[in-house]
Amino acid sequence: MKIRKKRKWLSLTMLAGAALFALAACGGSDGQSADAGKNDGGDTYTFKASHVVQESHVWHKTAEKFGEELEKLSDGRMKLDIYSASTLGLEQDMVQQLETGSIDFGFLTNAYMSTREVTLNSWFMPFLFSDLEDANKMRESEETKQMLEELGSQGLLGLDIAFAGNRHILMKEGFIGSPEDLKGKKVRIIGSPAMQSFWEKTGAGPTAMPLPEVYTSLQTGVIDGMDIDLDALVTEKYYENAKYLTLTNQMTFPTVVVMSQASFDKLSEEDQEIVKTAMKTAVDWGAQEAIAREKSNLEELRKNGVEVQELEDHSAFDGIAEEVRTQYANESEIIKSFIETAQND
């Protein structure tokens, strides 16, 4: 009997030890995406970042640059896993995951985010920027800083604005010189309030649709053309189904770079600064890369048989542009100030 009791006691001790070991192994796993650990130099992290574009797109390349900077500045303590092409869901899903901290960083289209924060419609004011370099100057403006701060109410830390390029018009048939050329045409747009307003005023039939549906919609004639930046036009190969590109520069197309506030708050002040510095360096690099790609993408499109024509005089659109600007300036003092600053820069 004594031997049996002793064996029983030993078994219970071993089971308790195993349970404690299992709990210790799970320690620190609280549902957050940043897998944290310890080393002699401080906490280690593997962050998650998500976006909607292909891996060849400049936003993905900017995210990769961010990951490189994180590793360098943290001496390898911080790493970044990037989930491209909506792998983790549509943008509304991404925002929910950012709010909870299950995703740490998001490169979210300004089109989607402008439906959640009205001031971001500033970037979609028609014919405000002559080119991408012109748009990039407004990244450091006080108005942009205010827009990013407004995202705090949604559990998001607004870090920066990055670019894909300015928007142009791709059509299956013919170039665009005035609103008359767009009347009755079904044009795919991104679902943004300001974009919708602009396109409705041209007389076109603006059609919002998810990115994966656009290629076949052009192919089958469901749409006659689209509002597009050159980087997406090249990476998604829409030129295979539509050959007439008018360089209009009617709007720019940013991504709003955000971090989960929940994830940010878990970092030390030193690590918070590393994140901010790494992102600033990456977005600075990405802006110059996007500007360079405007030229290289245009060359690529011409090589692939795309007919290109520049809209040198957009005066036919001036009345529409002014209507949209006035509408949104009346909705937000930040938008009003943004327009004035951009025009005077």
Side-chain angles (χ1 to χ4, degrees):
M1 287 293 293
K2 288 182 180 179
I3 293 173
R4 287 180 183 175
K5 285 182 180 180
K6 187 175 182 180
R7 285 177 179 171
K8 185 177 180 181
W9 180 84
L10 285 171
S11 298
L12 289 171
T13 302
M14 291 171 68
L15 284 170
L20 286 170
F21 178 82
L23 286 169
C26 294
S29 176
D30 56 1
Q32 300 304 309
S33 69
D35 295 326
K38 283 276 189 182
N39 66 20
D40 292 339
D43 291 334
T44 61
Y45 299 92
T46 300
F47 297 114
K48 284 184 181 178
S50 182
H51 60 69
V52 299
V53 295
Q54 301 298 324
E55 291 186 2
S56 55
H57 194 276
V58 67
W59 292 351
H60 183 83
K61 299 303 179 185
T62 301
E64 287 182 330
K65 178 68 172 175
F66 173 53
E68 291 170 8
E69 291 297 317
L70 274 180
E71 285 201 48
K72 182 173 72 175
L73 294 176
S74 68
D75 294 326
R77 292 188 299 106
M78 296 181 180
K79 298 185 184 300
L80 185 70
D81 290 337
I82 306 168
Y83 297 82
S84 62
S86 302
T87 306
L88 299 182
L90 300 176
E91 288 187 293
Q92 56 264 40
D93 303 317
M94 292 182 203
V95 170
Q96 289 178 355
Q97 293 172 78
L98 283 159
E99 288 171 344
T100 63
S102 56
I103 294 177
D104 304 294
F105 297 94
F107 287 68
L108 304 165
T109 65
N110 191 72
Y112 173 69
M113 291 304 293
S114 66
T115 67
R116 300 177 63 100
E117 173 50 50
V118 67
T119 61
L120 291 169
N121 282 291
S122 299
W123 295 100
F124 292 150
M125 294 299 98
F127 298 101
L128 194 58
F129 306 112
S130 58
D131 54 34
L132 195 55
E133 289 184 72
D134 201 17
N136 187 49
K137 292 175 185 176
M138 290 299 291
R139 262 181 64 214
E140 303 293 339
S141 68
E142 285 303 313
E143 294 86 355
T144 299
K145 291 174 185 175
Q146 289 172 353
M147 292 175 210
L148 294 173
E149 285 175 7
E150 292 291 327
L151 299 176
S153 63
Q154 303 183 42
L156 305 174
L157 177 67
L159 292 172
D160 214 325
I161 298 290
F163 297 95
N166 277 5
R167 304 297 283 187
H168 308 287
I169 302 174
L170 179 73
M171 300 296 290
K172 289 176 71 72
E173 298 293 337
F175 297 109
I176 303 301
S178 72
E180 290 296 319
D181 299 325
L182 289 164
K183 286 202 171 165
K185 301 290 186 182
K186 292 181 181 177
V187 178
R188 186 266 176 175
I189 68 166
I190 295 169
S192 157
M195 280 191 175
Q196 183 79 25
S197 180
F198 170 78
W199 281 101
E200 285 175 352
K201 292 179 189 301
T202 68
T207 306
M209 66 172 60
L211 206 61
E213 297 177 18
V214 176
Y215 186 92
T216 54
S217 294
L218 272 175
Q219 190 176 49
T220 58
V222 171
I223 54 175
D224 300 300
M226 62 187 305
D227 170 308
I228 190 71
D229 64 85
L230 300 185
D231 208 59
L233 179 50
V234 169
T235 57
E236 302 290 343
K237 299 186 177 181
Y238 298 128
Y239 57 80
E240 293 179 347
N241 297 317
K243 296 289 185 182
Y244 293 89
L245 174 65
T246 307
L247 299 176
T248 49
N249 284 295
Q250 79 268 15
M251 293 174 187
T252 195
F253 193 60
T255 177
V256 184
V257 185
V258 301
M259 183 176 185
S260 163
Q261 188 68 56
S263 297
F264 184 77
D265 289 344
K266 292 184 176 181
L267 303 179
S268 67
E269 287 186 14
E270 178 187 352
D271 286 349
Q272 288 175 350
E273 286 305 311
I274 287 175
V275 165
K276 288 180 178 180
T277 301
M279 186 63 79
K280 176 71 166 54
T281 301
V283 176
D284 284 346
W285 174 89
Q288 295 309 309
E289 177 68 9
I291 290 167
R293 283 190 179 207
E294 288 283 271
K295 298 173 184 176
S296 61
N297 283 331
L298 195 54
E299 292 172 5
E300 180 71 16
L301 291 167
R302 285 185 166 126
K303 284 179 186 177
N304 282 284
V306 177
E307 299 288 332
V308 181
Q309 181 173 294
E310 185 174 357
L311 180 67
E312 295 181 352
D313 179 11
H314 58 70
S315 59
F317 290 91
D318 284 354
I320 294 171
E322 188 58 34
E323 281 186 54
V324 176
R325 291 180 192 176
T326 300
Q327 174 189 342
Y328 280 90
N330 289 336
E331 288 190 21
S332 165
E333 284 298 320
I334 293 176
I335 296 178
K336 181 181 179 181
S337 180
F338 184 90
I339 294 170
E340 291 171 352
T341 302
Q343 288 176 325
N344 295 328
D345 196 357

